[in-house]
Structures are given as structure tokens and as C-alpha cells.
Amino acid sequence: MRTAIALGSALALAAVAFGQTATYKEPHRPQFHFTPPTNWTNDPNGLVYHDGEWHLFYQYNPFGDRWGHMSWGHAVSPDLFRWRHLAVAIPEAEEVMAFSGSAVVDSRNTSGLGRAGRPPMVAIYTSRTSEDQTQSIAFSLDRGRTWTQYEGNPVLDVEDPAFRDPKVFWHEGTQRWIMAVVLANQRKVSLYGSPDLKAWTHLSDFGPEGAHPVSNWECPDLFELPVEGEPGASKWILQVDSGRGHPWTGSGCQYFVGEFDGVRFTNDNPPETALWLDWGRDFYAAQSFAGVPTNDGRRIVIGWINNWMYANRTPTSPWRGAQSVPRQLQLKRFPEGLRLLQQPASEIEGLRGRALRLDDLSVPEANRAIDDAGFRGDVLELHAEIEVRDSSDVGFRILRGAGETLVGFTAAPAEVYVDRTKSGEAAFHESFPGRHSARLKPDNGIVELRILVDRSVVEVFAGRGRAVITDRVFPQPSSDGLSLYSRGGEARIVSLNAWKLRSAWE
Ligand code: FRU
């Protein structure tokens, strides 16, 4: 039996036993992506903004660097990039793991859990035993620093062994809380409503339309987004993660565009229209922040950078797993329909250091300029506009050393890609090496690429965020070379803005 108090001392023991202190200078350690100091992380949980702080809770194993003993780790940030680690918020207790979920600030105190005018921060998560998955709540009255379990838990139990990952939001239209939660094995998102976060009524189910036939569904999210350039127009996005259904195999993040009337979500597209947030192998369990002030108004998501196919084997120590940079979402109309655009949250600009700017150069000229400037690095932001001309394949070689990772664009088929076949250590799983692409039409002959390079994480936002690819790579130390290539013809570098990014952990 493990109580919350016992867990505190066990944690201290675990730290001694591992003999590890994190320096954030270890090989492969990302410098501006969130990773826990030690041990395993998977899904982001409980993303909420409150009182000047962005809260990131995350699936965490306090006892080791593989999945197990799932608890909610916790960190806070003033700016979405510089995180301060806090104590485990919701520990595994008495063999009941704390699986994924969300958090809200109950500013109206609908739950009655607030005290003396202090609104409670409420976490809604899955209590998981070997037989059962039920939804529980816990609350904090001190800005998420300490947590109390609600004595009436579980608040929702349908006697299903794969019922999990509640995402809760306040719905203005019906003046109540809405929960999206999955029946994972049935590939269904169930919606529930509640006046007080405690009593939940079933509203409707969505799925398994558009689902991969053998996969499960996990970590749903449901939110409204304005349509860019169409004043007054908005749509609802139902996002759900597919454990094994991603086009390049393994886990990935799907979304549907449609309507939510306070009871039911309806998909605007035919069921077979599978839309993916990310075309890399390493973006899963995305969740959006609650509580973003209206004067900010952004919809910001974070995803887990990993793939269940090999998540337990990625070669890092003393931690395993990373979170994506926070991404701003927009919804925009294209000839094929409404699609999400993603960009790194603008706060990333605060990390920009040494810059290089090139304009209107051929690829060989650009390479000379990069060399002359001695511009290299493994923690970079690159922003390029490339006129494709008659080039059949053009892009960047990044993280060059003994190996290299390619981030490029091919004209036929028109797609952007990341090729990590020769990126470094790749033998830890047979499905890890490979090339992952996403369809992208050039805009007036120009391809726009925004690439974040962070030692062992590559995030590519191409076509103004229309095609996104996230891949992990494990290069040899000091693989920091950078150059461009063009095959089969000439391409023109219309502009390149490159920055070294400062570590967020200093
Ligand atoms: C998704 C997931 C969730 C679950 C959690 C357990 O990656 O499988 O469905 O709540 O991880 O750690």
C-alpha cells in the first residue's frame, strides 16, 4: 500500500537509488522542449493557465524511465518555454494509477470546493486499477501546489475497463461543464455534461467513424476555433488520438471539423476523411490549454513527442520522453476544406540568440554564406522561403556530423518530408528509421519551411503551418553542421532567417 505521504519519502529514496541529478546538458537533452529532470514522461495533462502561470502536468513515472506507476508530474512557466519543476501533483496511490486528464479553474465555484473566495483548480483524471478505469477529481486551493482528492470519487464510472482521458471545458452556450472522454477500445468519444464537475450526465457518443479499424482511441479534446478571414464564422474541432492508426504506423493525432450544439458533435466531412495534426512519427496525446485569458485568445496545444511503438526504448538517460513546443492553432479554409494551421507559440522568439539572415541566393551561394558565417548548431530555429524552380528535391541537412537528418521538399509528389534514416542511433527499434512526408502545394512556386531543431527533436511547420512533421532523432554528440541541398535542378533561397536558440533551462 502506498499513501501520498509514503510516496514523498519513496521519491527521495528513488532519487538516491538512481544516483542521478539532471544537468540538462546530457546527450540528446532538448534545450527548449520540456523534459522531466529524470524518469519517464508520456502525455501532457491538465494544461491550464491561471494567475500568470502556465501549468503543465504530465504523465510521469516517479520510479523509473519506463512506463509505470503513472502519476501527474507538474511544472509551471511564465512564458510557455521556461519551466519550473514542482512536486508530483497526483501520485499513484494504493495501486491506483493517475492516468491522463485535464484541469480547469472553477472560477464560479460551481463545485463548492473553493474556500473563502479562492476558486479551486480542479483536475479531472482517470483512476486506473487493473480491472477498472473511472473518472476522479482532485482540487487545489494554492495555485496547484498541493492537491486534495475529492472524497466522493469516482465521479464517473460506467464499468468499462478502457474508459479514460477526460478533457473538461466550460460551455458558455449551455452554462455547464462538458467532458469529452474515450471508450478507448470501442473507438468512441463520449460527451458528458455537469453543473458542478461532480455529477455527470451522458449526452452523446461520437465514433468509431474515421477510425483505424484495429486501433484504440485516446486523449480526446473538443474546442471551438474561429475561421481565419471569415468574420463571425467558427467551427468545432474534435481531436482524438489513435494508438496505432497513424499513416506512417504507430500512434498519431487525428482531428475532425464540425459542429457542437452543446449535446452532440457532428463531423462536417465524410467519415473516411482522416485529418492528422502531425505527419511525423512523434506527436501524440495532444491537449489544449484551458483558462487562456480572452484578451490572449489563443488555442495552444502541447503533444507528447514519442510513439508507443518504441516509446520505452528511445536511447536517453536519465529521462525518457519529451513534450512538444506549445503550438498555436488556427483554422483556415483551403480548396479541400477547413484545415488546422499550427505554429510554435510566439514566446519562442524570446529564446532567439545569434541570427543569420540571407536573401536571394542560389543553394551553393547560401552554403558558402553559412560556412563563412560559421553558422552551425544543434539548437536552432530556421525559417526559409525557397523558390523551387526546376529542383526536384530541395532542403536542409541538419544535425550533421557522423550522420544527418534531412528536412526537404519534393516537387513530385508535392510534399515536405523529414528523413531520419541516417540521423544517428536508430537501431533500438526496427520501425524507427525512415522518411515521413506530408502533402504540401508550393505557394506561387515558393515553399515556406519553419524548422525547430533541438538536439533530439525536430519539429517542422511548413506552408505557414499547414503541414507539420515532428520526429525524434538521436545524433552523435556535436552533430551541429547545417547546409542546404538541391537535386535535379536549381532552387533559389528567397530568404533564410536562422537563429541559435538559447537554452530554456539556464
Ligand atoms: C495515451 C495513454 C492514455 C492514458 C495514459 C496512460 O498515451 O495511453 O490513454 O491515460 O497514456 O499513461
Side-chain angles (χ1 to χ4, degrees):
M1 242 195 203
R2 189 177 293 122
T3 65
I5 294 160
L7 188 95
S9 47
L11 266 179
L13 279 176
V16 173
F18 282 102
Q20 294 152 340
T21 42
T23 61
Y24 282 80
K25 297 191 194 317
E26 301 89 350
H28 304 312
R29 179 74 96 166
Q31 298 298 298
F32 61 93
H33 287 82
F34 179 87
T35 54
T38 58
N39 297 331
W40 163 274
T41 183
N42 56 293
D43 317 348
N45 294 153
L47 302 182
V48 63
Y49 178 88
H50 180 53
D51 216 2
E53 291 181 320
W54 300 92
H55 289 259
L56 165 64
F57 300 87
Y58 53 93
Q59 285 286 278
Y60 181 56
N61 179 358
F63 302 102
D65 62 4
R66 296 176 150 251
W67 187 87
H69 300 290
M70 295 324 298
S71 303
W72 277 33
H74 188 196
V76 288
S77 172
D79 62 7
L80 290 164
F81 283 88
R82 288 176 299 137
W83 297 98
R84 186 152 63 87
H85 300 296
L86 296 176
V88 167
I90 308 178
E92 177 194 37
E94 298 173 21
E95 309 295 322
V96 183
M97 293 198 211
F99 266 20
S100 285
S102 49
V104 294
V105 175
D106 180 14
S107 45
R108 298 169 182 83
N109 198 24
T110 62
S111 61
L113 298 169
R115 291 285 173 277
R118 269 180 299 161
M121 184 181 284
V122 181
I124 310 96
Y125 63 97
T126 301
S127 294
R128 184 270 198 184
T129 66
S130 48
E131 292 88 49
D132 214 8
Q133 298 186 356
T134 60
Q135 315 322 316
S136 293
I137 62 178
F139 62 97
S140 168
L141 298 173
D142 55 2
R143 303 163 76 230
R145 271 36 178 201
T146 58
W147 290 84
T148 308
Q149 310 294 316
Y150 170 55
E151 57 198 13
N153 280 337
V155 292
L156 182 56
D157 179 3
V158 298
E159 298 184 355
D160 186 290
F163 180 51
R164 61 177 180 266
D165 306 341
K167 177 68 163 74
V168 171
F169 66 95
W170 177 257
H171 185 244
E172 277 300 329
T174 55
Q175 291 289 299
R176 63 179 170 191
W177 300 99
I178 300 287
M179 177 197 294
V181 57
V182 289
L183 290 160
N185 298 338
Q186 299 173 44
R187 299 183 290 281
K188 277 190 183 155
V189 177
S190 290
L191 300 181
Y192 288 81
S194 172
D196 59 4
L197 297 165
K198 295 169 176 169
W200 293 94
T201 313
H202 182 253
L203 301 175
S204 63
D205 287 336
F206 175 83
E209 75 175 81
H212 188 276
V214 296
S215 193
N216 56 1
W217 273 9
E218 302 184 309
C219 300
D221 202 344
L222 177 63
F223 49 84
E224 191 175 11
L225 274 185
V227 180
E228 290 306 307
E230 297 179 19
S234 69
K235 281 285 172 186
W236 286 78
I237 304 297
L238 176 64
Q239 176 231 297
V240 72
D241 295 84
S242 171
R244 285 189 281 157
H246 192 267
W248 309 130
T249 73
S251 33
C253 192
Q254 247 187 298
Y255 70 95
F256 303 91
V257 182
E259 296 292 347
F260 174 63
D261 62 4
V263 173
R264 189 172 299 281
F265 174 83
T266 38
N267 182 7
D268 279 357
N269 295 304
E272 62 281 5
T273 317
L275 304 174
W276 296 92
L277 242 82
D278 196 299
W279 287 81
R281 293 287 301 289
D282 294 293
F283 188 79
Y284 195 62
Q287 182 179 115
S288 69
F289 274 92
V292 180
T294 26
N295 63 359
D296 177 322
R298 288 176 295 176
R299 181 60 58 172
I300 301 174
V301 301
I302 294 179
W304 174 44
I305 300 201
N306 221 330
N307 190 311
W308 276 118
M309 283 184 89
Y310 46 72
N312 274 291
R313 298 206 216 157
T314 50
T316 60
S317 178
W319 86 101
R320 186 176 276 124
Q323 306 297 341
S324 75
V325 293
R327 300 176 177 183
Q328 299 168 207
L329 298 186
Q330 289 183 315
L331 188 62
K332 203 180 157 196
R333 194 174 299 282
F334 290 88
E336 60 275 27
L338 290 165
R339 298 292 184 268
L340 287 178
L341 301 180
Q342 300 169 68
Q343 286 292 344
S346 52
E347 285 86 342
I348 196 172
E349 292 167 19
L351 296 175
R352 286 176 181 166
R354 192 187 158 197
L356 174 74
R357 171 155 187 127
L358 306 179
D359 283 296
D360 195 28
L361 296 177
S362 69
V363 168
E365 286 167 346
N367 279 336
R368 262 195 301 282
I370 291 169
D371 277 353
D372 289 351
F375 195 88
R376 48 203 301 128
D378 56 6
V379 185
L380 299 174
E381 178 182 349
L382 308 174
H383 191 180
E385 290 175 303
I386 303 174
E387 193 190 337
V388 184
R389 299 203 173 171
D390 56 354
S391 171
S392 56
D393 186 1
V394 53
F396 288 90
R397 303 176 195 278
I398 59 170
L399 298 168
R400 293 191 82 184
E404 63 185 9
T405 298
L406 306 181
V407 180
F409 173 82
T410 55
E415 56 185 30
V416 55
Y417 64 89
V418 172
D419 190 336
R420 67 179 179 189
T421 315
K422 299 192 177 126
S423 57
E425 232 175 310
F428 57 89
H429 192 275
E430 70 278 6
S431 88
F432 183 81
R435 177 185 184 278
H436 313 122
S437 58
R439 285 298 169 97
L440 181 71
K441 289 202 196 78
D443 191 6
N444 286 318
I446 292 177
V447 172
E448 189 256 1
L449 291 175
R450 188 165 176 197
I451 307 167
L452 303 182
V453 182
D454 196 4
R455 299 223 161 120
S456 60
V457 178
V458 178
E459 285 182 271
V460 180
F461 302 83
R464 317 251 164 238
R466 168 80 175 84
V468 181
I469 302 179
T470 303
D471 268 353
R472 286 215 75 182
V473 289
F474 301 100
Q476 299 299 316
S478 66
S479 299
D480 62 354
L482 172 72
S483 65
L484 286 137
Y485 60 89
S486 170
R487 300 178 184 131
E490 207 203 332
R492 195 91 189 148
I493 308 309
V494 178
S495 67
L496 171 64
N497 282 289
W499 293 271
K500 290 183 165 246
L501 296 185
R502 280 187 285 270
S503 174
W505 298 105
E506 268 154 19

